[in-house]
Amino acid sequence: MNLASTLSGPPEYQAAVTGAALFDTSAAAKLVLTGPDAPMFLGNLSTNDTKELPLGGGCEAYFCDPRAKVKFQTWIYHIRLSDGRHAMWVETTAGRNTELVQYLDRYLISEQVEIADRTADFAQLHLAGPGAAAVLGTALGEPVPDLPPFAHMERTFGGTATCSLRRRDQLGVPGFDIVCRTDVADGVRRLLSAAGAVPAGPDVFETLRIEAGAPVFGKDIDENRFVMEVGFAPRAVSYSKGCYLGQEPIVMARDRAGHVNRAFLGVKVLEGGPLPAGTKLFRDGAEVGLVTSSCDSPRLGAPIALGYLKWKHQEPGTKMDAETPTGKRAVEVLGLPPVK
């Protein structure tokens, strides 16, 4: 059976689930940190172990305040610049580049680190789908190695457009971030489209993101959210590294309680359409959760939502009520990711 023929949703969505879809994610904020102390400096501030990142390696990480409340959601890569210098590439939420520069500069005392905002200089594409690697290989004219999560390498499209290819499965399907200078981005996009990638827009990206249960700062995360409540936070937190800002509350949550009071999970909406952000969830008359994102899921054939549920109300299959402006609506806990 052809899976695409059984799916609802636009062709761009079907391409991401069965082939390869191409998204423009150039708005992502991008910083480059150079200098011998850059890995240590980032490691002292972030939740993950950036000091030991090998060249070609990367990781997800959070910058927190001393209470371990999230300040920035980031992805950090150890790269080599065109002049041969090693550097740390830091990606964060679109529009927050200036804020992140100011945050980092506040903690920069005597370390040998230079911070440059490169957001406007580099375009970024995201190629997503089970056919993403094959499409990349066709566009490049050579096979793409099987990269582990967040690993990256340089390859050249069309003989002149050198790009960083980064493995990042942020939409619940195999995915690659493709980062290049803005002046060559159109040519790279054309080569990928000619190789079979289907251009797709932000609405499809958002549907896939919610289906994958991937939180995003500004919608699902804010500066009042404890980092260990956030979905997929465990892969962004190292317990074996040295001290860093926010470490004590994180270790206490692990050692004293064994769990956090709330967890980021997905729910299925059993009646009506997607839920507005901010919708409260109730069980047996008590408030137990809060919705942050919601969409219609073509793969489930029903609306789903992401949000935070209190401890003891997180078991998949648990029924509860969403309190909406038009009345109560039934939902059911799915877990994370909500669409597997």
Side-chain angles (χ1 to χ4, degrees):
M1 178 183 294
N2 184 349
L3 178 59
S5 67
T6 67
L7 283 174
S8 60
E12 297 88 350
Y13 174 90
Q14 297 179 27
V17 175
T18 65
L22 186 63
F23 301 91
D24 191 332
T25 55
S26 298
K30 313 170 193 72
L31 309 185
V32 172
L33 277 69
T34 53
D37 295 334
M40 177 194 67
F41 174 67
L42 290 174
N44 290 343
L45 293 176
S46 71
T47 57
N48 220 333
D49 190 359
T50 61
K51 301 177 191 177
E52 302 301 326
L53 270 184
L55 182 64
C59 67
E60 186 173 359
Y62 291 92
F63 292 93
C64 302
D65 67 13
R67 304 168 299 160
K69 299 297 179 70
V70 177
K71 299 290 290 184
F72 295 91
Q73 178 187 29
T74 67
W75 295 266
I76 301 174
Y77 303 92
H78 181 176
I79 66 171
R80 183 156 47 205
L81 302 176
S82 58
D83 61 8
R85 289 181 298 158
H86 287 230
M88 305 299 285
W89 179 286
V90 182
E91 177 190 332
T92 192
T93 312
R96 304 201 72 210
N97 40 313
T98 300
E99 290 177 76
L100 183 54
V101 169
Q102 293 170 345
Y103 173 87
L104 294 173
D105 190 61
R106 186 181 311 129
Y107 291 99
L108 191 59
I109 303 174
S110 59
E111 296 87 354
Q112 297 183 57
V113 177
E114 294 183 4
I115 305 168
D117 182 353
R118 305 302 302 275
T119 304
D121 302 325
F122 286 88
Q124 185 164 313
L125 305 171
H126 184 71
L127 185 65
V135 167
L136 266 182
T138 299
L140 289 167
E142 61 178 290
V144 175
D146 186 15
L147 298 175
F150 305 112
H152 53 98
M153 62 185 186
E154 282 195 353
R155 290 293 186 273
T156 301
F157 291 83
T160 57
T162 299
C163 302
S164 176
L165 309 182
R166 302 169 183 173
R167 181 63 189 267
R168 184 173 160 202
D169 300 349
Q170 59 178 310
L171 299 179
V173 293
F176 296 86
D177 284 336
I178 302 160
V179 182
C180 61
R181 299 190 322 271
T182 54
D183 61 313
V184 300
D186 286 344
V188 172
R189 189 181 290 106
R190 285 193 296 269
L191 286 171
L192 290 168
S193 296
V198 176
D203 290 344
V204 172
F205 189 97
E206 182 73 352
T207 296
L208 292 163
R209 179 190 74 80
I210 294 172
E211 289 185 332
V216 63
F217 193 95
K219 293 183 179 180
D220 308 297
I221 310 169
D222 61 27
E223 294 187 348
N224 295 309
R225 185 62 59 184
F226 180 40
V227 68
M228 296 310 292
E229 297 175 347
V230 177
F232 304 122
R235 74 182 183 193
V237 175
S238 171
Y239 288 104
S240 60
K241 59 179 280 189
C243 296
Y244 59 92
L245 197 62
Q247 181 189 39
E248 185 175 353
I250 291 173
V251 173
M252 287 175 60
R254 180 197 65 180
D255 294 344
R256 291 188 180 181
H259 63 82
V260 290
N261 293 330
R262 295 172 183 80
F264 187 73
L265 296 170
V267 300
K268 182 178 181 180
V269 184
L270 302 179
E271 51 189 348
L275 300 173
T279 297
K280 295 179 180 179
L281 302 177
F282 292 82
R283 187 181 182 199
D284 298 329
E287 184 180 334
V288 298
L290 180 73
V291 169
T292 56
S293 295
S294 188
C295 72
D296 283 308
S297 169
R299 276 177 283 180
L300 281 187
I304 58 174
L306 299 176
Y308 293 90
L309 295 176
K310 290 183 179 179
W311 177 246
K312 296 185 179 180
H313 303 278
Q314 301 167 3
E315 184 69 23
T318 301
K319 302 289 197 304
M320 53 189 65
D321 295 317
E323 195 72 69
T324 74
T326 57
K328 291 182 180 180
R329 290 161 56 191
V331 302
E332 176 184 339
V333 178
L334 292 173
L336 197 71
V339 178
K340 298 177 174 66

